[in-house]
Amino acid sequence: EIVLTQSPGTLSLSPGERATLSCRASQSVSSNYLAWYQQKPGQAPRLLIYGASSRATGIPDRFSGSGSGADFTLTITRLEPEDFAVYYCQQYVNGPWTFGQGTKVEIK
Amino acid sequence: EVQLLESGGDLVQPGASLTLSCEASGFAFSTYDMHWVRQAPGKGLEWVSAIGVDVSRRYYTGSVEGRFTISRDNSKNTLYLQMNTLRADDTAVYFCAGRYCSGGYCYPLDYWGQGTLVTVSS
């Protein structure tokens, strides 16, 4: 089973600032089958990034993903008020399709 | 419009059984791998189970293996999760979600329902 570790646990930033979120895997994620999701309270997760760096349909270009192998990053270039949420990475190579524990991006 | 509507969540006692349903509309359900993901109160996301387009492909996380059974009825566009011998640590919101595979590439979970709450408590 691939274990995903996200850091930091919480990121306190102001609107307009840049957010950098990390996701580290316990082993290489083949074919970069790494996704990022955003979840707001009381809502289902929303797919942001797939294939480590491809934006899902309708996702603004301030969201970008990068990385390969076992180290991945989600960057939000200029935080908008609606971006304050919890972000999860997930590997979807094969079962079990594990998630990281999440990074909360909160308003400073 | 794509919709996934979960139902069947309830308050049950430890050791009880429960079946969750997820009715899909707005997309070609039979061509999607379908998953269950859960979230305990105040906690993160935990992948639970998956069933492929080929129903012989079924996967479970270790903590539910042997207790939960995933199935699908493509004629009803519905996904199921039969849960037996429920425990307190199964308490969570259960989401169904779908992913598409094409040309040798499988996408992550793109379609999600809003979830149904299962509470296991005496």
Side-chain angles (χ1 to χ4, degrees):
Chain A
E1 172 176 322
I2 298 177
V3 177
L4 299 177
T5 303
Q6 293 186 240
S7 61
T10 302
L11 204 48
S12 298
L13 296 168
S14 300
E17 288 194 296
R18 180 187 188 95
T20 303
L21 288 66
S22 174
C23 176
R24 178 162 291 178
S26 59
Q27 58 188 274
S28 181
V29 178
S30 62
S31 303
N32 289 340
Y33 272 44
L34 192 286
W36 290 93
Y37 300 85
Q38 176 194 69
Q39 189 182 32
K40 298 179 181 179
Q43 296 185 17
R46 177 174 71 145
L47 177 65
L48 298 176
I49 301 288
Y50 67 93
S53 60
S54 298
R55 275 187 298 276
T57 302
I59 302 303
D61 60 7
R62 64 180 181 272
F63 291 92
S64 64
S66 62
S68 63
D71 283 295
F72 301 90
T73 300
L74 175 69
T75 301
I76 312 170
T77 51
R78 294 172 307 279
L79 282 165
E80 297 287 342
E82 62 268 28
D83 299 336
F84 291 91
V86 180
Y87 293 83
Y88 296 93
C89 58
Q90 184 204 25
Q91 64 80 19
Y92 56 101
V93 177
N94 281 308
W97 285 267
T98 46
F99 289 91
Q101 81 278 23
T103 290
K104 181 179 182 180
V105 179
E106 65 176 21
I107 299 176
K108 187 173 181 180
Chain B
E1 179 192 6
V2 170
Q3 280 198 316
L4 290 171
L5 187 60
E6 302 95 336
S7 61
D10 203 352
L11 168 62
V12 297
Q13 294 192 335
S17 297
L18 199 61
T19 298
L20 305 183
S21 300
C22 171
E23 187 172 350
S25 61
F27 67 102
F29 176 78
S30 63
T31 66
Y32 275 66
D33 291 352
M34 295 301 297
H35 295 234
W36 288 99
V37 174
R38 68 184 179 185
Q39 187 168 38
K43 303 297 184 183
L45 300 173
E46 180 187 22
W47 176 83
V48 175
S49 182
I51 185 168
V53 171
D54 175 358
V55 297
S56 68
R57 294 189 296 117
R58 306 184 193 211
Y59 307 88
Y60 302 93
T61 192
S63 63
V64 309
E65 185 91 50
R67 298 189 299 125
F68 290 11
T69 301
I70 191 170
S71 61
R72 65 192 298 164
D73 184 339
N74 290 338
S75 69
K76 296 182 179 179
N77 285 350
T78 301
L79 174 73
Y80 303 98
L81 186 67
Q82 169 71 40
M83 304 185 293
N84 296 329
T85 320
L86 283 161
R87 311 185 309 216
D89 62 358
D90 293 318
T91 294
V93 173
Y94 284 72
F95 296 98
C96 67
R99 74 163 191 171
Y100 184 66
C101 297
S102 175
Y105 183 82
C106 287
Y107 294 86
L109 300 172
D110 199 8
Y111 297 154
W112 291 75
Q114 286 304 304
T116 187
L117 176 62
V118 173
T119 304
V120 184
S121 174
S122 56

